[in-house]
Amino acid sequence: MEKELNVVGARLPMMDAAQKVKGTALFTDDLILPGMLFGKILRSPVPHAKILNIDTSRAEKLPGVKGVVTGRDIPDRKYGIVPMAKDEYALAKDKVRYIGDDVAAVCAIDPEIAEEAVELIKVDYEELPAVFDPLEAKREGAPEIHAGIKNNTSFAIRKEFGDVRKAFAECDAIFEDTFYSQPVNHAPLEPHAALAQFDPLNGELTIWSSTQIPFFLRRNLSNTLQIPESKVRVVKPKVGGGFGQKIDLYAKDFCAAWFAIQLGKPVKFVYEREEVFISTRQRHPMYITVKTGMKKDGIILAQKFQAHADGGAYNSTAPTMIALSCYFLMIPYRVPNLIYEGYHVYTNKPVGGAMRGHGIPQARFAVERQLDMIAERLGLDAAEVRIKNSIHAGEPHPAKFIINTCGFSDSVKKAADAIGWKEKRGKLPLGRGVGLAGASFPSGVSNMSHISSGAVVQLGRDGAVNVLSGAADIGQGAETVISQIVAEELGVPIEDIRITAADTGITPLDPGTFGSGVTVRAGNAARLAVISVKQKLFNFIADKLEANVADLVAKDRNIFVKGSPEKGMTLSEALKSYQYADLPMPIVGRGSWMAPATEPTTLFKEDGNFAPSYSFMTQAAEVDVDLHTGKVKLLRMVTAHDCGRAINPMLVEGQLEGSVVGGMGQALYEDVIVEKGQVMNPSFLDYGFPTFLEMPEIEAIEVETDDPIGPFGAKEAGEGTQLSPAPAIVNAIYDAIGVNFMELPITPEKILDALEEKKNRKNSRSDQCISHC
Amino acid sequence: MKQAIELNINGDTHEILVSPNNTLLEVLRDKLGLMGTKRGCDLGACGACTVLINGDAYLSCIMLAVDAIGKEILTIEGLDEGGDLHPLQRSFVENGGLQCGFCTPGMILTAKAILGEEKHPTEEVIKRKMAGNLCRCTGYKKIFEAVMSVTEQSGKEF
Ligand code: FES
Ligand code: FES
């Protein structure tokens, strides 16, 4: 990285930070249109039933009600965020599959009337047997949730790399353990909302939606409403967090659009908090069995991994989720021989979907926990085992990943040093412990169609820079990061940049915020666009200055010859002479970018390089376990992090801090409790995600690499850091009290029970060596 | 039965027709369009709807509008000083104490109430008093730093 940078790498506040602190940042529910109507969804009170009849007559007659819609009225078009997995209707057609399933919707002149009206809709259900556990749902004879889906298994994937049978035969020790990871709600602070407006004269629908995926939402609306994509405009206002939950079409989007079209009036839907918990998405609960074979020295030879994901009632991202949890078993460790079997199983419960880490945190919990258990058994140091098995840049990879940069083994060392591994591990008093865990995450995905981003940059004669990007900023600061990239290339301060993003009617295509690909993908697109602008201007200026284009530098609103700042001019002079040379203004540059893929592959069917680059991290935790109350306090979490170059270190830290606390929630506090299909804790009061009081000390250590593909060497920094906090914490709990927990979350009751049991039984280990030990 | 009431909000007197069961949040957002006060749960559990009543932090989603009659209500829209950011607002911006921004107005107003009570609250007091304000994005660290940095330079009135 010889280049000296000014705007990239700076700790700049988000460009919209001032709006946010003044309360003028507008989210979907803050928008008001003249004559706006309000909608409300009727949801299923039963987990599994046939809909025999829906009587809407009383609701329709209620004064103030403007419309009622049921599944029978809407086009027969299924949707799903992954094209191969479409299995859902915007409103249930003839069956409901979970408590909270969308059944009907009303639209009225105010929210209270809408609420009253849904209660007047009478639905006759014929209840069907329901099933609530994926292992039961997979058995012969279990209730069939979707017609024709055998054993309720909507996706099954089996992959084999290397020669697993032979490798297991060569191992010195083989261990097999089963783990369970619980359902977690994303719980973004902003409840989901949509506002739609229709212009009957030109047939155009505009929808403002709290979405992470404006362009996919446009496609899904076009498909389900049966109107052309060109007639649907999705605008993303400020979004109050998503974490993956806002990657889908929901009934609120469809119904707002439906009523707007039918009634010719703007219509708004806002979900209540309870609806967010019950009827959107959650992290997939997962049962995982891992069998790992090692040599005596701790080198992993083979793994067999079996995962049963509880998908709830619909697919959502099912195939992507299980593919991710498979492929990311082979990184950050070298696993030359691997069998993966993954099942996505329907149950009559809330629906699983993408959530920060997407299928990988569950797998990491299992693998990272088991590595610690094995290290202990074999008398090895758990940090050393990780370093020994670390993959490195440039190595051949069993699934053909191309790893250009990799700071993993460094990250283990740095995290271990920072937490005081040598002095503390196994040496702290009862109740105190340290633990660590590693992870890797893709910077977006290469191997899927539709995953490319576009950008347009315009430079006006006053030096104002206008950027159009499809990237969906949901609070992570994508617009700021993209603007920093553009400002850096043009040599202007960020104040000169104005960005318009994520409006399908105005901005170029972008797949949206998921897979932690925005900085690399949309950042590269914007960089190509601004480079094209710069080239046009530089070609002209080079002539004027009698210099080589390649020698020109743009910096501090000046353009000059490298090494001789006196030989140059201000950007404003440059633009003026460009204009007076009768060259067309504004100067426009376009860019589109897609990750380089050597083979056209898809996630689900083929192997190949999964992502343009991979982040790596090790997280080390120190915990205090109160032996009387069973409460665990995360004291400190260190993250040694290879995310390439941070375009904005303050924003990267923010991502990391949010992930650490999110991961802590998963480890210790959060659990969507479902009894017979009913969510028992659908509120902030009962769900209990971390507050100020639980905030640990959080420390980040940079492991710098210079990635050749990311803009200015950047890699992902949004999701990877939520993969290993949970296992690091649980490993630290083992160090503190000598109990191996196999199920999340580790509640005080579980701690107290385990301590009690430990008292009664000398050896509390639940891991088993199944051969050679 | 609706009744007309007068509320003093950010220094202005508003006459509004309300039902006895209307919450202050409904009045602020739905009747007056003061959208800086956010609705995160409508159940008193997230702090996004925090406003100041005579300087103290209240959850407007569980407070009846009629109970605010005769009191000084401050929402986030009334905090900046003639267009200049309030020191807390500036500190949140500079310290990166926000991401999506949905919790931010409530966080800032709660912090203001704390600083109104004592100029140099301890770290523990800040954490305890802000524990009712949830944030799902930041992990709280930078919010905490933003508030601390204001208390450290305080001495001024908030
Ligand atoms: S909206 Fe009032 S506390 Fe959540
Ligand atoms: S910044 Fe998003 S909830 Fe706090």
Side-chain angles (χ1 to χ4, degrees):
Chain A
M1 282 184 268
E2 26 33 282
K3 202 163 176 251
E4 182 209 329
L5 300 173
N6 298 294
V7 190
V8 161
R11 303 174 65 86
L12 298 177
M14 281 186 200
M15 292 166 87
D16 54 6
Q19 279 178 40
K20 288 172 178 169
V21 298
K22 284 166 68 108
T24 55
L26 295 177
F27 298 79
T28 302
D29 187 27
D30 300 335
L31 305 175
I32 297 173
L33 289 174
M36 187 167 84
L37 302 171
F38 298 85
K40 180 85 192 157
I41 312 265
L42 174 70
R43 303 188 173 281
S44 170
V46 290
H48 198 194
K50 267 191 210 152
I51 299 175
L52 299 178
N53 186 47
I54 305 184
D55 177 1
T56 59
S57 56
R58 286 179 62 215
E60 276 158 29
K61 280 187 214 125
L62 186 72
V65 169
K66 296 292 168 187
V68 181
V69 62
T70 73
R72 306 224 162 130
D73 309 319
I74 66 175
D76 191 9
R77 303 291 293 186
K78 284 186 183 169
Y79 74 89
I81 187 64
V82 179
M84 69 168 85
K86 292 180 185 176
D87 63 352
E88 202 169 350
Y89 289 103
L91 295 171
K93 282 226 170 256
D94 34 46
K95 227 181 133 176
V96 288
R97 297 182 171 86
Y98 74 105
I99 295 175
D101 212 344
D102 315 88
V103 175
V106 300
C107 174
I109 55 169
D110 69 42
E112 292 72 35
I113 296 175
E115 205 161 327
E116 206 184 322
V118 283
E119 275 158 32
L120 296 176
I121 298 175
K122 191 170 167 292
V123 187
D124 297 329
Y125 294 108
E126 178 192 319
E127 283 210 52
L128 299 168
V131 59
F132 306 113
D133 180 83
L135 303 178
E136 276 168 36
K138 214 179 140 212
R139 286 201 196 114
E140 283 310 322
E144 183 184 65
I145 298 175
H146 288 262
I149 301 295
K150 217 172 155 294
N151 301 331
N152 292 308
T153 304
S154 63
F155 282 92
I157 156 173
R158 188 179 191 282
K159 289 267 179 191
E160 181 162 358
F161 302 91
D163 188 339
V164 176
R165 184 193 271 263
K166 181 161 160 272
F168 269 123
E170 289 166 6
C171 290
D172 294 326
I174 299 172
F175 297 86
E176 185 171 303
D177 298 284
T178 297
F179 300 86
Y180 171 75
S181 171
Q182 84 279 35
V184 172
N185 195 279
H186 312 58
L189 257 269
E190 179 210 18
H192 300 232
L195 168 63
Q197 186 177 38
F198 184 68
D199 182 345
L201 292 178
N202 57 19
E204 279 180 15
L205 173 78
T206 304
I207 182 161
W208 293 261
S209 177
S210 54
T211 182
Q212 302 181 221
I213 43 146
F215 289 87
F216 274 108
L217 183 59
R218 176 178 70 172
R219 180 185 299 178
N220 273 311
L221 280 170
S222 150
N223 170 50
T224 49
L225 291 161
Q226 290 289 283
I227 55 177
E229 263 192 45
S230 60
K231 295 286 184 193
V232 182
R233 175 178 170 199
V234 177
V235 186
K236 181 207 67 69
K238 300 288 177 213
V239 172
F243 317 106
Q245 201 176 49
K246 292 171 180 170
I247 304 180
D248 240 317
L249 170 98
Y250 288 106
K252 50 110 187 165
D253 298 301
F254 177 90
C255 294
W258 173 268
F259 284 126
I261 294 170
Q262 299 293 319
L263 304 170
K265 293 233 172 135
V267 180
K268 186 194 270 186
F269 276 73
V270 183
Y271 282 1
E272 286 173 23
R273 179 54 54 186
E274 185 171 340
E275 293 179 283
V276 177
F277 271 101
I278 292 173
S279 302
T280 62
R281 298 289 181 253
Q282 61 182 18
R283 190 186 292 294
H284 293 87
M286 215 186 268
Y287 293 99
I288 291 172
T289 299
V290 203
K291 180 172 153 187
T292 300
M294 274 192 178
K295 295 303 266 184
K296 276 203 290 291
D297 58 358
I299 296 287
I300 301 169
L301 280 194
Q303 258 177 346
K304 181 167 183 226
F305 190 95
Q306 196 186 51
H308 285 91
D310 181 347
Y314 296 99
N315 271 331
S316 183
T317 57
T320 315
M321 182 272 303
I322 49 176
L324 279 161
S325 70
C326 166
Y327 283 95
F328 281 76
L329 291 168
M330 289 177 286
I331 190 169
Y333 306 116
R334 211 182 288 119
V335 183
N337 304 286
L338 171 76
I339 291 180
Y340 176 92
E341 281 173 21
Y343 304 92
H344 177 272
V345 187
Y346 289 132
T347 58
N348 296 109
K349 293 208 312 228
V351 184
M355 180 176 177
R356 210 170 198 175
H358 203 187
I360 305 178
Q362 297 94 322
R364 285 260 67 82
F365 168 62
V367 168
E368 297 293 326
R369 277 267 49 231
Q370 198 200 33
L371 272 182
D372 261 40
M373 290 160 63
I374 296 177
E376 168 96 8
R377 258 291 165 85
L378 298 180
L380 301 169
D381 178 82
E384 278 303 316
V385 168
R386 288 177 168 84
I387 293 169
K388 268 188 193 162
N389 287 291
S390 166
I391 58 166
H392 295 282
E395 279 180 10
H397 187 271
K400 303 202 195 106
F401 287 14
I402 298 168
I403 295 156
N404 289 316
T405 51
C406 170
F408 185 65
S409 56
D410 262 7
S411 79
V412 184
K413 286 177 213 142
K414 288 187 172 168
D417 281 351
I419 204 76
W421 186 257
K422 290 231 166 64
E423 311 81 70
K424 291 182 178 168
R425 174 73 165 188
K427 297 176 188 133
L428 293 171
L430 183 67
R432 271 279 180 125
V434 294
L436 52 74
S440 169
F441 201 76
S443 311
V445 284
S446 313
N447 297 350
M448 286 168 95
S449 44
H450 324 296
I451 305 289
S452 69
S453 290
V456 177
V457 174
Q458 303 178 42
L459 177 59
R461 67 188 180 122
D462 55 353
V465 186
N466 250 294
V467 182
L468 299 179
S469 164
D473 195 329
I474 57 168
Q476 81 277 43
E479 292 180 15
T480 304
V481 164
I482 290 166
S483 299
Q484 283 183 265
I485 290 169
V486 171
E488 181 64 52
E489 278 294 348
L490 267 187
V492 299
I494 197 165
E495 295 77 44
D496 292 3
I497 312 287
R498 184 172 183 278
I499 182 165
T500 303
D503 176 337
T504 69
I506 296 174
T507 63
L509 179 77
D510 187 279
T513 291
F514 59 84
S516 215
V518 180
T519 297
V520 170
R521 190 175 51 234
N524 267 328
R527 193 172 186 200
L528 290 176
V530 66
I531 285 174
S532 146
V533 167
K534 196 162 94 170
Q535 282 312 321
K536 288 177 194 168
L537 186 60
F538 274 20
N539 285 340
F540 171 74
I541 300 299
D543 274 358
K544 291 218 118 190
L545 294 176
E546 294 174 358
N548 280 328
V549 174
D551 292 337
L552 291 185
V553 184
K555 196 183 160 189
D556 299 336
R557 295 196 184 115
N558 290 305
I559 298 171
F560 54 87
V561 177
K562 201 194 251 159
S564 5
E566 71 296 340
K567 206 175 164 201
M569 62 179 85
T570 65
L571 177 63
S572 136
E573 285 162 355
L575 287 168
K576 200 164 167 195
S577 46
Y578 190 91
Q579 186 191 9
Y580 283 101
D582 275 346
L583 290 164
M585 279 290 204
I587 310 179
V588 180
R590 294 189 177 80
S592 15
W593 194 85
M594 186 168 188
T598 41
E599 306 139 56
T601 55
T602 69
L603 281 179
F604 197 51
K605 296 196 179 112
E606 313 290 340
D607 317 323
N609 190 25
F610 205 98
S613 63
Y614 303 85
S615 69
F616 294 91
M617 65 287 303
T618 299
Q619 292 175 300
E622 180 162 355
V623 300
D624 181 72
V625 182
D626 184 320
L627 303 174
H628 301 291
T629 63
K631 277 195 188 153
V632 179
K633 167 95 183 129
L634 174 62
L635 301 171
R636 188 162 164 241
M637 179 74 82
V638 177
T639 305
H641 193 195
D642 162 19
C643 62
R645 175 190 287 279
I647 304 284
N648 185 326
M650 187 162 82
L651 301 191
V652 169
E653 284 164 19
Q655 288 298 303
L656 183 143
E657 289 155 11
S659 305
V660 165
V661 171
M664 175 181 77
Q666 186 185 3
L668 301 176
Y669 308 109
E670 298 179 37
D671 194 1
V672 179
I673 296 166
V674 184
E675 280 173 23
K676 294 206 160 49
Q678 179 85 54
V679 177
M680 305 306 287
N681 55 347
S683 77
F684 283 143
L685 282 176
D686 300 313
Y687 181 71
F689 74 67
T691 73
F692 264 96
L693 295 174
E694 286 78 41
M695 176 179 64
E697 245 181 73
I698 302 173
E699 190 182 321
I701 301 167
E702 198 183 339
V703 179
E704 197 168 320
T705 55
D706 185 11
D707 186 76
I709 293 176
F712 297 97
K715 303 202 274 190
E716 80 83 27
E719 297 193 46
T721 43
Q722 193 155 341
L723 305 177
S724 39
I729 291 167
V730 185
N731 288 342
I733 294 175
Y734 177 80
D735 191 43
I737 59 170
V739 178
N740 272 316
F741 287 98
M742 317 296 274
E743 291 184 8
L744 292 175
I746 318 298
T747 56
E749 298 76 55
K750 283 190 197 160
I751 296 266
L752 292 178
D753 286 352
L755 287 172
E756 186 63 31
E757 197 189 324
K758 201 181 162 203
K759 241 193 262 162
N760 302 335
R761 207 160 50 97
K762 254 199 184 145
N763 186 359
S764 74
R765 315 172 64 89
S766 43
D767 55 336
Q768 279 172 16
C769 180
I770 57 175
S771 71
H772 308 285
C773 301
Chain B
M1 265 299 285
K2 298 225 177 201
Q3 69 180 110
I5 60 168
E6 279 188 357
L7 291 181
N8 179 326
I9 303 167
N10 303 330
D12 294 324
T13 303
H14 295 263
E15 192 179 301
I16 317 140
L17 203 58
V18 299
S19 306
N21 64 350
N22 275 149
T23 63
L24 180 58
L25 180 63
E26 284 170 331
V27 168
L28 293 173
R29 287 184 60 86
D30 306 339
K31 294 190 192 283
L32 298 174
L34 290 166
M35 297 305 194
T37 309
K38 301 299 177 196
R39 184 182 275 130
C41 68
D42 223 6
L43 215 67
C46 75
C49 64
T50 303
V51 297
L52 300 192
I53 310 268
N54 293 343
D56 294 329
Y58 279 83
L59 299 174
S60 62
C61 73
I62 50 169
M63 175 172 193
L64 293 176
V66 291
D67 288 339
I69 297 171
K71 299 180 179 151
E72 277 181 28
I73 303 164
L74 183 79
T75 72
I76 194 72
E77 287 90 349
L79 187 61
D80 59 7
E81 293 143 359
D84 283 345
L85 295 183
H86 180 277
L88 272 166
Q89 290 174 314
R90 208 173 323 117
S91 182
F92 270 66
V93 169
E94 285 164 7
N95 289 289
L98 54 89
Q99 286 180 33
C100 77
F102 198 82
C103 69
T104 312
M107 290 284 180
I108 290 176
L109 289 174
T110 303
K112 179 169 159 53
I114 298 170
L115 298 184
E117 272 168 37
E118 40 185 319
K119 273 189 196 145
H120 299 284
T122 62
E123 296 197 356
E124 287 320 305
V125 165
I126 292 178
K127 285 184 194 166
R128 188 163 41 76
K129 293 198 172 171
M130 294 195 70
N133 287 72
L134 299 180
C135 175
R136 194 56 157 171
C137 301
T138 63
Y140 304 104
K141 185 173 176 214
K142 292 200 186 323
I143 297 178
F144 180 69
E145 288 164 356
V147 177
M148 282 309 293
S149 105
V150 173
T151 73
E152 275 151 20
Q153 1 147 328
S154 94
K156 309 169 215 155
E157 282 312 309
F158 291 105

